[in-house]
Amino acid sequence: PGDTMVTTINNKTIGTKTIVAETKVNSLVGDSELTIIPNFLSRDECRTLSSNVLACAEAGTMRQYGRKGGTFQEPRLHILLGNNKNMGYSYKDVHMAAHSFNTIPGVKPLADRVAKKLGVDRWRLGVDAIVYGSGNDGIGWHRDNSQGETIVACIVLLTTRKPRPLLIKPTPVNDGHHSYKLQMHEGTLYYNNQAFHHNYFHRVPKLKTSGSSALGRRIVLVFRDGNEVRTVDNGHAVPLSSRMHFRDTIKYGPIEGIEEGRCYTRRAL
């Protein structure tokens, strides 16, 4: 699918490294750990799983969550999956309740496979399937530290030919340490520990795209272990198609008063 790369930044680019095997990022703050495993999934596995996630999104089963009293809708879709219907995951004023693993075929065997690889007995905070429908979707600076997360893992199922970057920067108290830009192709698994989320923020910035194009679409599965909390879901079901942004000002075909092949001045147009 392509190369997975890590760029190290400190005011300016220090260097870019291509990751071809399991690699632990060096020089992180304190006990922070970030490990990247390219090609954890094959291309065919990614295609099958991403298709299953998209089918769920198009069916209107995935959910969108409001923030700031509902005045702001997160620019992405989620669905939390788990074994226990009382399982929940919360951050700020967002509360997700788990759906059955059967909602998206193939996720449960993968969750077990990742848990075995990382030495986790089970994902107490579930598996969060996230769809960034286009480049208009993204997520701002944040830390996964709302429920005592001990380990957070993520697999990229779908991305663009030039992968959307995951940006990482140190918290203000750690200012002066390196920042990082990760460009991860489909099939890449990366994971981090609790100390990482004490010392770093991360985000997936929006892209400068327009219209209903799926350019910039990104699908990931996020696996979290931490402190179990029962919660009541406060999201709302939204089909992916209703979230794609159309530009009604674009017109195609003949335009009244304009003749094809004729030259016009700027003022005339």
Side-chain angles (χ1 to χ4, degrees):
D3 294 328
T4 288
M5 295 180 290
V6 177
T7 300
T8 304
I9 305 165
N10 195 341
N11 294 323
K12 63 180 181 180
T13 298
I14 295 175
T16 299
K17 180 179 181 180
T18 300
I19 306 298
V20 296
E22 182 171 339
T23 300
K24 181 177 289 188
V25 177
N26 296 323
S27 303
L28 295 180
V29 176
D31 296 328
S32 302
E33 294 182 1
L34 171 62
T35 302
I36 303 168
I37 308 176
N39 302 315
F40 184 81
L41 292 183
S42 69
R43 179 177 295 181
D44 287 343
E45 288 175 311
C46 288
R47 285 176 177 170
T48 298
L49 279 163
S50 60
S51 294
N52 293 345
V53 175
L54 278 175
C56 180
E58 290 291 0
T61 308
M62 298 191 76
R63 305 178 72 77
Q64 187 173 23
Y65 292 86
R67 297 275 307 280
K68 302 177 182 178
T71 60
F72 168 74
Q73 297 296 315
E74 290 189 330
R76 56 192 174 276
L77 295 178
H78 294 261
I79 187 167
L80 185 68
L81 306 175
N83 286 324
N84 184 349
K85 65 180 181 180
N86 293 320
M87 177 185 292
Y89 182 63
S90 298
Y91 57 90
K92 297 185 184 293
D93 45 358
V94 169
H95 305 288
M96 302 181 193
H99 294 66
S100 167
F101 271 121
N102 295 331
T103 307
I104 303 179
V107 173
K108 179 60 167 64
L110 178 58
D112 293 341
R113 179 177 163 188
V114 176
K116 182 177 180 179
K117 169 67 178 177
L118 304 186
V120 177
D121 60 342
R122 62 190 178 96
W123 301 108
R124 292 172 178 81
L125 305 186
V127 179
D128 188 6
I130 306 175
V131 174
Y132 302 88
S134 70
N136 294 309
D137 286 354
I139 187 169
W141 291 113
H142 69 286
R143 295 182 286 178
D144 289 13
N145 63 348
S146 59
Q147 287 182 213
E149 290 88 331
T150 54
I151 186 168
V152 178
C154 182
I155 289 183
V156 180
L157 298 182
L158 179 70
T159 187
T160 52
R161 182 171 297 179
K162 182 179 180 180
R164 291 183 61 170
L166 174 73
L167 305 182
I168 298 170
K169 71 175 183 179
T171 58
V173 71
N174 295 305
D175 190 34
H177 288 269
H178 295 333
S179 296
Y180 300 90
K181 178 172 74 172
L182 275 57
Q183 293 172 281
M184 293 171 290
H185 278 270
E186 296 161 0
T188 300
L189 167 68
Y190 62 98
Y191 62 95
N192 40 60
N193 65 352
Q194 192 171 47
F196 177 89
H197 291 283
H198 284 299
N199 295 316
Y200 290 92
F201 294 105
H202 61 287
R203 72 168 179 148
V204 178
K206 295 182 179 182
L207 301 179
K208 294 181 179 180
T209 61
S210 60
S212 60
S213 171
L215 179 66
R217 179 168 289 175
R218 186 175 193 259
I219 299 176
V220 298
L221 296 176
V222 182
F223 310 80
R224 298 183 179 96
D225 193 22
N227 301 324
E228 288 183 291
V229 175
R230 182 182 299 182
T231 188
V232 176
D233 197 287
N234 65 352
H236 55 282
V238 177
L240 177 61
S241 57
S242 70
R243 294 211 57 259
M244 301 302 285
H245 307 284
F246 292 88
R247 291 180 61 187
D248 297 329
T249 56
I250 297 179
K251 305 294 182 184
Y252 297 93
I255 300 175
E256 185 178 354
I258 301 296
E259 297 179 19
E260 184 177 358
R262 182 177 175 182
C263 294
Y264 293 87
T265 65
R266 181 178 298 178
R267 178 170 295 180
L269 293 174

